[in-house]
């Protein structure tokens, strides 16, 4: 199925039913008085989170979603039935925005979570409500009010604990395939990833986390080059970003430090708080270098970047360093969880992701 993470739809709640003007007409009961009933309320439009959906592709084919109108009132004081509420299922992680006001209405973050996006119209009143001592045969009634109509932008943002960031061919897809059961396309040329991939890293005994891979970001992405900038929003909900750097590029003239600075510059142009998100450096393709050569390139890179954060080195081919990285990520994610009442401040030392 094609991955689609943006869609524009129109939602229309049902109008309220009109009130009825009617008079009781029965044999032997002359001048029976008004008996027109009220109309029914219009149906709402409600979005519902569904974990079974992972794309907005269905909304590219069906853009109009309309709830049922309330039934008009009838004689004999019979009220019209309410319009049925329309439930529209969307993937968990969907952000909803009003296109006309640019207001963010909310986000669907849980299975079964409901969001009212268009309220149905109110019912009209029948003439039984207008009877009085001075107006015994009212011919007044009211019409139902129109239901809300809105143009909505749906934006799917994948839910993950860890996000992978890097230039094309930095080894992101290979790493997520090695750490999890995800099977993204892996090839020896850039831009093999065309849409986000999610993988679950399972470390046993109920310890797991979700990792997201997005297309590589290239220089000029802020001006529309490549695909990566389009998908950077998928890292906005992650707790941690892994910045993957190819430590052994095929082109010997490429400087990994320059690539790191270029990518960060593009992320800063993208805006938001992504540039301030906690970031670990992961040096990939370690197996292509001898130990001495790797250490030399590593020290040069860290010196040029003046890097003070955590650093890991991995090889997705041999698996070297992958388990160590996964364990460190798991400990870091668990450190976000609130401690139980029985375990108050057992360890007050700052968190170190490299400790075992």
């Amino acid at each position: 199925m094609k991955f689609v993470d943006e869609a524009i739809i129109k939602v229309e709640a049902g109008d309220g039913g009109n009130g009825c003007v009617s008079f009781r007409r029965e044999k032997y009961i002359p001048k029976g008085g008004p008996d027109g009933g009220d109309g029914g309320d219009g149906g709402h439009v409600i979005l519902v989170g569904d974990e079974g959906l992972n794309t907005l592709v269905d909304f590219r084919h069906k853009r109009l979603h309309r709830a049922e109108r309330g039934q008009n009132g009838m004689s004999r004081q019979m009220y019209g039935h309410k319009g049925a509420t329309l439930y529209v299922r969307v993937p968990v992680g969907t952000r909803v925005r009003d296109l006309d006001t640019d207001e963010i209405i909310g986000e669907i973050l849980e299975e079964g979570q409901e969001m009212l996006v268009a309220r149905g119209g109110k019912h009209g009143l029948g003439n039984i409500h207008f009877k009085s001592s001075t107006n015994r045969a009212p011919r007044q009634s009211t019409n139902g009010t129109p239901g809300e109509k809105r143009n909505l932008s749906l934006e799917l943002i994948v839910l993950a604990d860890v996000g992978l960031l890097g230039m094309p061919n930095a080894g992101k897809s290979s790493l997520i395939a090695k750490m999890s059961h995800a099977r993204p396309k892996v090839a020896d040329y850039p831009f093999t990833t065309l849409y986000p991939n999610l993988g679950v890293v399972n470390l046993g005994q109920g310890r797991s986390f979700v990792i997201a891979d997005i297309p590589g970001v290239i220089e000029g992405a802020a001006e529309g080059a490549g695909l990566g900038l389009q998908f950077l929003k998928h890292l906005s909900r992650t707790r941690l970003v892994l910045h993957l750097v190819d430590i052994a590029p095929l082109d010997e003239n490429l400087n990994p430090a320059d690539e790191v600075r270029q990518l960060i510059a593009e992320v800063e142009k993208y805006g938001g708080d992504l540039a301030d998100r906690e970031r670990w450096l992961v040096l990939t393709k370690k197996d292509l270098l001898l130990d001495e050569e790797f250490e030399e390139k590593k020290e040069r890179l860290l010196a040029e970047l003046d890097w003070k954060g955590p650093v890991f080195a991995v090889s997705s081919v041999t698996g070297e360093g992958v388990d160590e990285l996964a364990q460190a990520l798991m400990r870091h994610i668990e450190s976000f969880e609130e401690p139980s009442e029985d375990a108050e401040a057992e360890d007050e030392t700052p968190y170190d992701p490299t400790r075992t």
Side-chain angles (χ1 to χ4, degrees), residues 85-270:
T85 294
L86 176 65
Y87 293 92
V88 181
R89 309 197 74 82
V90 298
V92 173
T94 299
R95 177 181 294 164
V96 185
R97 184 189 302 271
D98 189 315
L99 277 179
D100 299 321
T101 64
D102 203 34
E103 169 197 5
I104 295 179
I105 300 174
E107 298 178 337
I108 302 289
L109 300 177
E110 298 178 359
E111 166 74 17
Q113 178 184 343
E114 296 184 358
M115 178 189 298
L116 176 64
V117 292
R119 188 178 298 276
K122 292 293 185 181
H123 61 268
L125 301 178
N127 66 339
I128 59 173
H129 294 281
F130 298 93
K131 181 177 63 173
S132 68
S133 59
T134 59
N135 186 10
R136 298 192 176 189
R139 296 184 178 275
Q140 300 102 317
S141 66
T142 61
N143 294 330
T145 60
E148 288 184 322
K149 297 178 174 62
R150 305 176 89 170
N151 295 306
L152 302 179
S153 169
L154 305 183
E155 188 176 40
L156 176 59
I157 302 177
V158 299
L159 302 178
D161 301 295
V162 179
L164 303 183
L165 182 67
M167 289 287 192
N169 215 29
K172 301 185 298 298
S173 297
S174 298
L175 181 60
I176 195 174
K178 191 69 175 180
M179 295 181 71
S180 70
H181 293 293
R183 290 296 174 262
K185 182 178 181 180
V186 178
D188 58 353
Y189 55 86
F191 300 110
T192 55
T193 301
L194 300 179
Y195 52 84
N197 293 299
L198 288 180
V200 178
V201 181
N202 193 341
L203 300 179
Q205 299 179 349
R207 302 175 74 231
S208 64
F209 60 89
V210 179
I211 189 168
D213 167 31
I214 67 169
V217 179
I218 64 174
E219 185 177 6
E223 286 74 39
L227 294 172
L229 199 65
Q230 175 185 350
F231 293 108
L232 276 178
K233 62 189 175 187
H234 293 291
L235 301 184
S236 63
R237 291 196 181 115
T238 58
R239 295 177 174 177
L240 176 69
V241 173
L242 296 184
H243 190 150
L244 272 61
V245 181
D246 182 357
I247 197 63
L250 295 177
D251 187 349
E252 296 182 356
N253 295 322
L254 287 178
N255 184 356
D258 291 338
E259 291 195 331
V260 172
R261 286 189 284 262
Q262 288 174 6
L263 194 149
I264 295 305
E266 296 299 331
V267 172
E268 289 175 346
K269 292 178 184 178
Y270 173 77

Side-chain angles (χ1 to χ4, degrees), residues 2 28 33 53 65 172 176 180 234 242 296 298 308:
K2 182 179 179 181
Y28 308 120
L53 301 176
H65 299 267
K172 301 185 298 298
I176 195 174
S180 70
H234 293 291
L242 296 184
E296 179 184 348
K298 172 185 173 182
K308 304 299 182 185

